[in-house]
Amino acid sequence: MDYTIIKERRALLGLTQQDLADYAGLSLRIVKSIETGKGNPSVSTLSKIADTLGLELFLKVREVSK
């Protein structure tokens, strides 16, 4: 999954990673790991970030072939 939109939106809003962490109620470590693509965030965590950045989170369920 590509999380560059989070970093780009944060920068567009003039927020630091620490700002985003504080506003979303997350740790700086979590924000850094997501932005570098090393994290495995929960839907709840992504929802907090999306809300803070004014983004929408869409989930798509796909059928897996057997």
Side-chain angles (χ1 to χ4, degrees), residues 17-18 21 25-32:
Q17 287 179 328
Q18 185 65 62
L26 302 169
S27 72
L28 176 59
R29 185 172 148 214
I30 289 173
V31 172
K32 285 183 176 186

Side-chain angles (χ1 to χ4, degrees), residues 49-60:
I49 291 172
D51 287 345
T52 301
L53 296 176
L55 299 171
E56 290 184 58
L57 185 63
F58 290 95
L59 298 177
K60 181 177 180 181

Side-chain angles (χ1 to χ4, degrees), residues 2 7 9 12 14 23 25-27 29 32 35 37-38 43-44 48 53-54 56-58 60-61 65:
D2 184 10
K7 184 176 183 177
R9 179 69 175 174
L12 180 70
Y23 295 146
L26 302 169
S27 72
R29 185 172 148 214
K32 285 183 176 186
E35 285 193 2
K38 296 178 182 173
V43 172
S44 175
K48 288 176 185 179
L53 296 176
E56 290 184 58
L57 185 63
F58 290 95
K60 181 177 180 181
V61 178
S65 60

